[in-house]
C-alpha cells in the first residue's frame, strides 16, 4: 500500500522541529491574533495530534468510525489552558505529539489505513495539513517582524 502521508507528515514534523529549535522563548510569546501566541498554536497542534493518536488507538480496539467534534468550541475552551502551558513546554509537546502520531500512522497495518481512508477525511492520515497551516502562519508572523526590524536600505 502506497503511503504518501508518511512522507508529508515527516516533512512537516521536521519543519516543526526545526522551527522550534530556532525559536527563542521571547518569540514563542509573540501574538498571532485572537488571544493566540506562537506557543498557543504549538499547544493547539499538540492537542490535535494527541486527539488523533488516541482516536487511532480507540479505533484499533473498536473499529473505525466517524468522530465528530465542534472544532471552534474545542479550540475556544482550551485557549486558557494552552496559555497556561509554559511556552517552551508547549513547543516541546508539539514535537513529541507529532512524533507519536506519525509513528502510529507509519506502523499501522494496511487494512487499518484502508479503513481510515474510507472515512474520506484526509486529515486523519495527513497530519501534515494541519501542521503546515499553522507553521505557515507562524513563519509569516516571524517574517513580518523581521522585516520591520531591518533598517531600510538607503
Amino acid at each position: 500500500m502506497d503511503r504518501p502521508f508518511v512522507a508529508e507528515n515527516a516533512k512537516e514534523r521536521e519543519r516543526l522541529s526545526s522551527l522550534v529549535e530556532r525559536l527563542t522563548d521571547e518569540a514563542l510569546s509573540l501574538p498571532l491574533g485572537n488571544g493566540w501566541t506562537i506557543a498557543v498554536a504549538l499547544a493547539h497542534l499538540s492537542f490535535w495530534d494527541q486527539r488523533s493518536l488516541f482516536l487511532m488507538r480507540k479505533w484499533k480496539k473498536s473499529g473505525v468510525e466517524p468522530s465528530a467534534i465542534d472544532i471552534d468550541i474545542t479550540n475556544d475552551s482550551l485557549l486558557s489552558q494552552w496559555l497556561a502551558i509554559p511556552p517552551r513546554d508547549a513547543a516541546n509537546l508539539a514535537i513529541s505529539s507529532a512524533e507519536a502520531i506519525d509513528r502510529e500512522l507509519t506502523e499501522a497495518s494496511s487494512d487499518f489505513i484502508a479503513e481510515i481512508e474510507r472515512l474520506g477525511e484526509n486529515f486523519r492520515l495527513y497530519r501534515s495539513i494541519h501542521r503546515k497551516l499553522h507553521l505557515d502562519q507562524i513563519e509569516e508572523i516571524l517574517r513580518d517582524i523581521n522585516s520591520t526590524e531591518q533598517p531600510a536600505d538607503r
Side-chain angles (χ1 to χ4, degrees):
M1 168 181 263
D2 191 29
R3 294 181 182 223
F5 60 88
V6 171
E8 291 297 318
N9 290 345
K11 176 183 169 189
E12 293 303 322
R13 184 185 67 248
E14 290 164 11
R15 185 176 165 211
L16 169 66
S17 294
S18 175
L19 176 68
V20 166
E21 190 175 297
R22 292 188 321 267
L23 287 171
T24 63
D25 289 345
E26 179 182 74
L28 286 167
S29 296
L30 290 170
L32 292 178
N34 297 321
W36 283 43
T37 63
I38 289 175
V40 165
L42 296 173
H44 163 89
L45 285 174
S46 174
F47 168 79
W48 289 102
D49 275 348
Q50 283 291 312
R51 183 180 187 277
S52 292
L53 176 65
F54 283 88
L55 189 57
M56 283 193 61
R57 289 177 179 168
K58 177 186 175 203
W59 285 345
K60 283 182 178 179
K61 292 178 184 173
S62 59
V64 175
E65 61 186 18
S67 179
I69 188 169
D70 187 317
I71 294 168
D72 293 329
I73 293 297
T74 301
N75 287 334
D76 290 346
S77 65
L78 288 170
L79 178 59
S80 62
Q81 292 176 28
W82 291 335
L83 285 165
I85 299 171
R88 184 58 56 188
D89 291 346
N92 292 334
L93 283 169
I95 294 168
S96 63
S97 298
E99 290 170 347
I101 185 60
D102 289 0
R103 184 172 40 256
E104 191 83 14
L105 286 165
T106 299
E107 295 172 358
S109 73
S110 295
D111 289 342
F112 185 63
I113 295 299
E115 286 181 57
I116 295 170
E117 286 176 332
R118 281 193 281 279
L119 285 176
E121 300 171 341
N122 276 349
F123 68 91
R124 300 286 184 204
L125 299 173
Y126 287 86
R127 300 304 308 146
S128 56
I129 296 169
H130 191 221
R131 288 180 204 147
K132 182 177 183 339
L133 173 81
H134 290 291
L135 293 175
D136 287 351
Q137 177 190 31
I138 291 166
E139 288 179 344
E140 181 180 343
I141 291 291
L142 294 173
R143 271 192 307 274
D144 289 349
I145 288 169
N146 287 333
S147 69
T148 60
E149 291 176 356
Q150 300 296 319
D153 289 340
R154 297 184 198 258

